[in-house]
Amino acid sequence: MEKEKQVIAIDGPVGAGKSTLARLLAHRLGLLYIDTGAMYRALAWLVRKRGIDPTDQEAVEALSARCRLRFVQGEETCLWVEEECLSMLQLRTEDLGQLASQISVYPGVREALVRKQREMALEAGGVVMEGRDIGTVVLPEAPIKFYLEASVEERARRKYEQLRQAGKAVDLATISAEIQARDQRDRSRALSPLRAAPDAIRIDTTKLTIDEALHLMLEQVRSCGRQDG
Ligand code: DC
């Protein structure tokens, strides 16, 4: 398989290791990394900034159709949202995650963002794209699909450690409840719910280090390349 044609889809619930592993995989394979969750978060940020009521479906959908989103990749990836460039750190807050999950159920929002995601993949040629519906809806033709999962306890523990290291006062039980609420919403929505594509390679990262999971994924990519070539 030619490197510039490699398209890798990664899906899974919050905290399964998608962002870290997608970023590392893209780096190792020289592909563009696209974090679609950041796009839903950026829209949530804009909804808040404009003072739009997130339950006003029509207003949120209208905003999603006209807002411009553009990734600037570099040492520190950022996402241009209209007139502002937001860092991943600014976007990765729990409240923006919950708001993103809430507005991502609207059909108009999904349609607008999926269209942008497909355009980005097409423009890039080779891409590692990660989210909830990449293998099932956005890039169903992707030759390599991963579905990452991990136990709720482990996902809560990882988040707890991340926040603690960032100097934030956190409570493990609250984090666990937030993760379960988000899982429930992302899995049960009518449109493009979180689920594994039938041909996805499932990896449970609960007991794996990042290096071990990355190694498994690289092996799979190489073996798909051998089968193709
Ligand atoms: O991956 P994340 O935590 O940054 O995603 C935030 C929310 O955005 C997630 O809870 C649901 C929504 N999302 C989605 O509906 N589809 C995607 N492809 C990515 C994220």
Side-chain angles (χ1 to χ4, degrees):
M1 199 189 310
E2 287 174 60
K3 184 188 278 185
E4 53 276 24
K5 293 273 157 59
Q6 270 182 342
V7 174
I8 301 176
I10 304 181
D11 292 300
V14 58
K18 296 186 306 294
S19 301
T20 307
L21 287 162
R23 187 169 38 77
L24 291 170
L25 196 63
H27 183 72
R28 285 289 288 272
L29 299 169
L31 301 170
L32 185 73
Y33 161 49
I34 297 178
D35 170 359
T36 61
M39 297 170 71
Y40 288 90
R41 286 168 182 267
L43 182 65
W45 177 87
L46 198 59
V47 164
R48 182 167 295 162
K49 183 169 183 238
R50 298 270 164 95
I52 293 171
D53 173 1
T55 64
D56 183 345
Q57 177 174 348
E58 219 174 290
V60 176
E61 290 185 330
L63 184 67
S64 71
R66 64 172 188 269
C67 89
R68 279 165 302 153
L69 295 174
R70 189 168 57 85
F71 279 102
V72 178
Q73 310 267 353
E75 209 58 358
E76 290 283 327
T77 298
C78 77
L79 183 50
W80 274 100
V81 186
E82 297 291 326
E83 64 286 355
E84 259 182 86
C85 199
L86 303 174
S87 70
M88 293 301 122
L89 209 66
Q90 278 172 289
L91 289 172
R92 296 232 141 262
T93 63
E94 183 50 34
D95 61 330
L96 279 182
Q98 294 289 351
L99 188 55
S101 172
Q102 194 184 330
I103 61 173
S104 71
V105 303
Y106 299 146
V109 166
R110 301 214 69 82
E111 195 187 310
L113 294 200
V114 167
R115 187 171 352 98
K116 288 184 212 292
Q117 289 153 11
R118 287 188 182 138
E119 281 166 12
M120 285 175 179
L122 209 65
E123 203 175 303
V127 75
V128 177
M129 189 177 276
E130 128 320 88
R132 302 291 188 289
D133 58 343
I134 311 306
T136 51
V137 175
V138 183
L139 303 171
E141 307 295 324
I144 307 171
K145 296 172 188 162
F146 290 105
Y147 187 83
L148 303 182
E149 48 205 338
S151 69
V152 172
E153 294 73 25
E154 176 60 16
R155 292 188 284 134
R157 193 198 61 77
R158 289 174 188 167
K159 186 86 187 170
Y160 174 82
E161 278 309 316
Q162 255 174 23
L163 293 170
R164 210 178 52 83
Q165 279 172 20
K168 302 209 171 111
V170 280
D171 166 54
L172 191 58
T174 308
I175 294 174
S176 176
E178 284 169 351
I179 284 181
Q180 290 179 68
R182 196 121 75 88
D183 279 358
Q184 163 67 15
R185 194 176 313 109
D186 292 349
R187 286 194 170 114
S188 62
R189 67 179 176 223
L191 210 60
S192 319
L194 167 66
R195 64 181 169 80
D199 53 344
I201 300 155
R202 298 178 88 113
I203 298 181
D204 186 333
T205 67
T206 307
K207 296 201 168 75
L208 300 178
T209 63
I210 290 173
D211 277 350
E212 286 167 342
L214 180 65
H215 182 75
L216 278 179
M217 293 170 93
L218 282 166
E219 270 187 348
Q220 291 288 346
V221 173
R222 286 188 191 116
S223 88
C224 286
R226 279 195 292 275
Q227 280 161 26
D228 279 10

